[in-house]
């Protein structure tokens, strides 16, 4: 019986990861940056320009958004540590997406490298 870890390892053999050192160049050339973490994780801080499509909804959100349907989009994915992003990349490749990369080490590696994050402004109620 396979474990989640087994599935992630298999996905990582099918997808391309970029190092933190090469992530900035990948982000600059991306048509879309997708944070596949959950909404609360995204709200706690994310990479500038990233949209939030949680891993559990990814395929449905991609299929339901005409702007995300072109299979030749340059896509950069990330999550907390890179496991969900690898699974997402493998899934997108099986859907026919041609240019998908994930950030090795995910948001944890991004933060450890002191890279900038965006946090939404708190909602003000008066």
């Amino acid at each position: 019986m396979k474990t989640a870890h087994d599935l992630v390892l298999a996905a990582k053999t099918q997808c391309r990861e970029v190092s933190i050192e090469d992530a900035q160049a990948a982000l600059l050339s991306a048509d879309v940056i997708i944070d596949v973490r959950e909404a609360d994780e995204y709200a706690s801080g994310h990479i500038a320009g990233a949209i939030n499509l949680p891993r559990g909804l990814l395929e449905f959100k991609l299929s339901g958004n005409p702007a995300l349907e072109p299979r030749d989009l340059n896509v950069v994915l990330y999550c907390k540590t890179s496991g969900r992003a690898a699974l997402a990349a493998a899934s997108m490749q099986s859907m026919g997406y041609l240019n998908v990369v994930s950030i090795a080490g995910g948001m944890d590696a991004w933060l450890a490298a002191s890279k900038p994050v965006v946090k939404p402004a708190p909602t003000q109620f008066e």
Side-chain angles (χ1 to χ4, degrees):
M1 181 167 128
K2 291 185 179 185
T3 66
H5 183 71
D6 295 332
L7 295 173
V8 167
L9 290 176
K12 286 188 176 208
T13 67
Q14 299 171 25
C15 66
R16 190 168 71 98
E17 285 189 314
V18 294
S19 67
I20 287 297
E21 295 79 19
D22 296 331
Q24 192 62 42
L27 293 169
L28 289 173
S29 67
D31 295 312
V32 63
I33 304 163
I34 302 175
D35 182 328
V36 298
R37 299 176 301 157
E38 296 298 316
D40 61 327
E41 293 175 287
Y42 178 82
S44 71
H46 56 272
I47 295 174
I51 61 172
N52 183 223
L53 298 179
R55 172 67 196 101
L57 299 173
L58 180 71
E59 295 82 356
F60 299 103
K61 295 288 188 178
L62 291 170
S63 296
N65 185 332
L68 298 175
E69 288 179 359
R71 297 315 198 241
D72 61 347
L73 289 172
N74 287 320
V75 180
V76 175
L77 300 166
Y78 70 92
C79 63
K80 180 175 174 24
T81 60
S82 73
R84 286 175 283 179
L87 292 169
S91 183
M92 288 183 72
Q93 289 172 334
S94 71
M95 292 175 74
Y97 287 89
L98 303 171
N99 305 306
V100 180
V101 300
S102 67
I103 298 176
M107 194 63 160
D108 284 356
W110 185 263
L111 293 170
S114 300
K115 301 288 186 180
V117 297
V118 175
K119 292 184 181 183
T123 304
Q124 299 292 324
F125 295 102
E126 294 186 51

